[in-house]
Amino acid sequence: MAVDSPLSSPLGPPACEKDAKALQFIEEMTRNAESVQQRVLAEILSRNAETEYLRRFQLNGATDRETFKSKLPVITYEDLQPEIHRIANGDRSAILSAQPLSEFLTSSGTSAGERKLMPTIKEELDRRQLLYSLLMPVMNLYVAGLDKGKGLYFLFVKSETRTPGGLLARPVLTSYYKSDHFKTRPYDPYNVYTSPNEAILCPDSFQSMYTQMLCGLLDRHQVLRLGAVFASGLLRAIRFLQLNWRQLAHDMETGSLNLKITDPLLRECIVKTLKPNPELAQFVHHECSKDDWEGIIVRIWPNTKYLDVIVTGAMAQYIPTLDYYSGGLPLACTMYASSECYFGLNLNPMCKPSEVSYTIMPNMAYFEFFPHEPNLDSTGFDFTRELPPKLVDLVDVEVGKEYELLITTYAGLCRYRVGDILRVTGFHNSAPQFHFVRRKNVLLSIDSDKTDEAELQTAVENASHLLREHNASVVEYTSHADTKTIPGHYVVYWELLVKDSTNSPDNDTLEQCCLAMEESLNSVYRQGRVADNSIGPLEIRGVKNGTFEELMDYAISRGASINQYKVPRCVNFTPILELLDSRVVSAHFSPALPHWSPERSQ
């Protein structure tokens, strides 16, 4: 029931007094986006004035935007690596931030195959928590009664390590789930999960998934929303249910917990609540034993109002499969965030996935935008020269244009290129709203992995060395992220030149080529394969000789210039995929897991 409050928001009638304050905060921040941005920049520069990094560029204590823009360069992660390595190796001087760095947040891999280390400070947890606290007040504007049930969210911690200097290095969500902000969060009737903390915090992915699924089944009539961070994660949970429903049903029927659940805290927690329930076990058996799993989500959790998952960017490829399993439930994308910074939220979370726009909250960091011109992708912009005058501020972006995002954070990132390409769709008050277009230069992605063209090229080259003993080579190749399987997997199409038909590469050789490619891919990909089970074995599909000439002919028939044609290194267009698959003569999968360890080298 909406509250008639003096704090009522133009966004809509709040569900309760607490929501009213959250919505009012959103209004204040977005109405005053320009002044908030100026204040944020001044705070960052003032606090970090004596850091080595700002002193290097002779800011001399200035906190105004003009001086900042004239003296500080735009940077990438590679530019910061010397400073990052010093901090990682134990240098505790004020290099990037005047406040002590609390840990590193690990991001997607660098060209060297290591995860990026993003500096962070303790107060960033407060900022992240603030953004989380705004999500349900917005959702309550669109979906009533969410305080009358629970959310079934599949949330997981991932491996963490320490740098040589002793700082923790771990993914941003692992940092959040292990923080007191999450573990001792106050009770909120709009934000109750079926999964206990012990299940979310269990480091073993099987035990964590098993107990979260079990708790979700036990509370099936209470579940009002299902979610995971990415669409791929929710589909992985459905696949897990397909593989393990018999044991789950046995646990419910007997009231005894699977002996594979060995984590003592987790086992104690679940055993306390698990009681024999033959009726529920029979229901799960009846539904899950059917060959047809269409609509399985609403069949098992009949009161589900929506799915809470990220389906923008690379995750859009999972939408048809989610629709199949959920019977077409609404897909809510609620927040835009990364390891470097949390950015904003979707003020219309029940819109179509193709229409999702995120409103940047101007208090999270200082934001700048470089107009993105696709014809510059191949050459890039030379940011080592005098700074381009075209960098624009948050409130000055133009509707319909695409931009590359740059951030300056309290933790010491200054004019840092995040690598996200965004398109402006409108404004809420004076704060722009952006549609996430894509990650810059990312070719393939299944889950949190990001593989670019150079990395794929290196992987193909390394694998093709195994063909030499057969006097064979790779003539051409392209790739595709196949998300029809769960988990999804990389498919690489190879056209081979075989000089001696009596010595053609056999299946074992090509399987080893698959594994060699996986060994060449970055640590985020390999962790997905080995530890998270979020990526399936890489597949090489051999195609007939002449296939890539046919591909070129097809492209030219559609208007491509024969002089400028290049073989696409990744394909998603259905007719091209159909052409390639119609020419496949053999298929080979990686026969083993690639090497991966949570330890990192410095």
Side-chain angles (χ1 to χ4, degrees), residues 389-491:
K390 292 194 293 185
L391 274 172
V392 296
D393 295 310
L394 182 67
V395 300
D396 296 327
V397 296
E398 297 180 41
V399 173
K401 290 191 175 181
E402 291 186 4
Y403 297 88
E404 182 181 351
L405 174 63
L406 288 82
I407 57 171
T408 296
T409 69
Y410 287 89
L413 296 177
C414 288
R415 313 199 84 184
Y416 177 87
R417 297 174 69 181
V418 175
D420 289 358
I421 305 299
L422 310 175
R423 182 170 57 252
V424 186
T425 58
F427 283 78
H428 181 73
N429 295 322
S430 61
Q433 297 177 305
F434 294 93
H435 176 73
F436 180 90
V437 178
R438 60 182 173 85
R439 286 283 297 174
K440 193 173 184 181
N441 299 328
V442 170
L443 206 64
L444 293 166
S445 180
I446 294 292
D447 192 54
S448 55
D449 53 301
K450 300 177 182 71
T451 298
D452 63 24
E453 186 170 334
E455 192 174 7
L456 181 64
Q457 172 73 27
T458 299
V460 170
E461 289 173 355
N462 291 343
S464 64
H465 292 163
L466 299 175
L467 301 175
R468 289 176 179 172
E469 64 182 272
H470 296 274
N471 201 15
S473 59
V474 179
V475 176
E476 273 299 357
Y477 71 92
T478 190
S479 64
H480 175 64
D482 185 349
T483 55
K484 292 186 177 67
T485 60
I486 302 175
H489 70 290
Y490 289 6
V491 175

Side-chain angles (χ1 to χ4, degrees), residues 28-47:
E28 290 174 1
M29 288 294 107
T30 55
R31 268 200 308 265
N32 303 301
E34 170 67 0
S35 60
V36 172
Q37 279 283 276
Q38 290 191 32
R39 173 180 59 77
V40 166
L41 180 62
E43 283 180 358
I44 291 171
L45 298 179
S46 174
R47 291 185 189 185

Side-chain angles (χ1 to χ4, degrees), residues 555-589:
I556 292 169
S557 74
R558 289 176 55 85
S561 165
I562 191 169
N563 294 319
Q564 296 178 313
Y565 175 79
K566 293 191 305 181
V567 174
R569 293 309 180 202
C570 180
V571 292
N572 296 301
F573 188 46
T574 299
I576 292 180
L577 287 171
E578 289 175 347
L579 187 157
L580 288 167
D581 284 330
S582 72
R583 303 299 188 270
V584 170
V585 294
S586 64
H588 316 272
F589 290 87

Side-chain angles (χ1 to χ4, degrees), residues 124-137:
E124 284 297 333
L125 271 171
D126 297 329
R127 261 182 286 278
R128 293 197 285 271
Q129 179 61 40
L130 174 60
L131 202 58
Y132 281 124
S133 73
L134 304 176
L135 301 182
M136 287 309 294

Side-chain angles (χ1 to χ4, degrees), residues 367-389:
F367 302 103
E368 295 175 273
F369 300 86
F370 184 71
H372 176 66
E373 299 176 42
N375 62 331
L376 291 180
D377 274 1
S378 59
T379 58
F381 186 91
D382 184 3
F383 279 100
T384 62
R385 298 180 301 176
E386 191 172 333
L387 288 175

Side-chain angles (χ1 to χ4, degrees), residues 120-225:
T120 192
I121 54 180
K122 280 187 177 179
E123 74 171 57
E124 284 297 333
L125 271 171
D126 297 329
R127 261 182 286 278
R128 293 197 285 271
Q129 179 61 40
L130 174 60
L131 202 58
Y132 281 124
S133 73
L134 304 176
L135 301 182
M136 287 309 294
V138 172
M139 185 58 71
N140 290 339
L141 296 173
Y142 294 87
V143 184
L146 292 175
D147 58 332
K148 302 298 190 291
K150 300 180 179 181
L152 168 51
Y153 282 78
F154 296 97
L155 308 175
F156 304 93
V157 295
K158 295 191 176 183
S159 62
E160 58 186 43
T161 187
R162 288 190 181 273
T163 67
L167 277 179
L168 269 176
R170 56 190 180 181
V172 62
L173 289 175
T174 296
S175 170
Y176 176 65
Y177 298 148
K178 289 192 171 185
S179 72
D180 288 339
H181 286 74
F182 180 80
K183 291 193 292 186
T184 60
R185 60 194 183 279
Y187 172 77
D188 180 350
Y190 289 96
N191 234 333
V192 178
Y193 298 149
T194 57
S195 300
N197 286 356
E198 290 84 352
I200 296 169
L201 295 172
C202 176
D204 182 275
S205 60
F206 174 86
Q207 295 185 59
S208 178
M209 177 74 88
Y210 190 94
T211 50
Q212 291 191 62
M213 183 63 76
L214 179 60
C215 291
L217 292 169
L218 294 174
D219 272 341
R220 76 181 196 93
H221 287 296
Q222 290 287 305
V223 171
L224 301 182
R225 51 198 173 109

Side-chain angles (χ1 to χ4, degrees), residues 90-308:
D91 190 333
R92 293 293 178 265
S93 56
I95 298 173
L96 298 176
S97 169
Q99 292 181 263
L101 296 187
S102 54
E103 60 184 320
F104 282 117
L105 302 176
T106 55
S107 185
S108 56
T110 65
S111 57
E114 287 292 343
R115 284 182 178 269
K116 295 177 183 175
L117 294 175
M118 296 298 168
T120 192
I121 54 180
K122 280 187 177 179
E123 74 171 57
E124 284 297 333
L125 271 171
D126 297 329
R127 261 182 286 278
R128 293 197 285 271
Q129 179 61 40
L130 174 60
L131 202 58
Y132 281 124
S133 73
L134 304 176
L135 301 182
M136 287 309 294
V138 172
M139 185 58 71
N140 290 339
L141 296 173
Y142 294 87
V143 184
L146 292 175
D147 58 332
K148 302 298 190 291
K150 300 180 179 181
L152 168 51
Y153 282 78
F154 296 97
L155 308 175
F156 304 93
V157 295
K158 295 191 176 183
S159 62
E160 58 186 43
T161 187
R162 288 190 181 273
T163 67
L167 277 179
L168 269 176
R170 56 190 180 181
V172 62
L173 289 175
T174 296
S175 170
Y176 176 65
Y177 298 148
K178 289 192 171 185
S179 72
D180 288 339
H181 286 74
F182 180 80
K183 291 193 292 186
T184 60
R185 60 194 183 279
Y187 172 77
D188 180 350
Y190 289 96
N191 234 333
V192 178
Y193 298 149
T194 57
S195 300
N197 286 356
E198 290 84 352
I200 296 169
L201 295 172
C202 176
D204 182 275
S205 60
F206 174 86
Q207 295 185 59
S208 178
M209 177 74 88
Y210 190 94
T211 50
Q212 291 191 62
M213 183 63 76
L214 179 60
C215 291
L217 292 169
L218 294 174
D219 272 341
R220 76 181 196 93
H221 287 296
Q222 290 287 305
V223 171
L224 301 182
R225 51 198 173 109
L226 264 79
V229 178
F230 294 118
S232 55
L234 187 53
L235 290 175
R236 205 158 63 247
I238 298 302
R239 178 60 177 162
F240 185 91
L241 181 60
Q242 285 182 313
L243 296 173
N244 294 278
W245 64 262
R246 288 179 179 81
Q247 181 63 50
L248 287 159
H250 176 269
D251 290 7
M252 289 180 277
E253 183 173 14
T254 62
S256 60
L257 183 59
N258 188 340
L259 294 177
K260 291 182 180 178
I261 309 305
T262 57
D263 183 293
L265 289 177
L266 178 55
R267 189 169 187 87
E268 180 185 1
C269 169
I270 302 299
V271 166
K272 284 180 182 176
T273 59
L274 184 59
K275 302 290 186 289
N277 190 336
E279 184 180 348
L280 178 58
Q282 185 178 7
F283 169 80
V284 169
H285 189 283
H286 178 264
E287 292 297 333
C288 294
S289 60
K290 296 177 181 176
D291 291 335
D292 183 9
W293 272 50
E294 184 173 2
I296 191 67
I297 288 175
V298 288
R299 280 154 44 192
I300 291 182
W301 295 282
N303 298 315
T304 307
K305 297 174 183 285
Y306 65 93
L307 305 182
D308 188 347

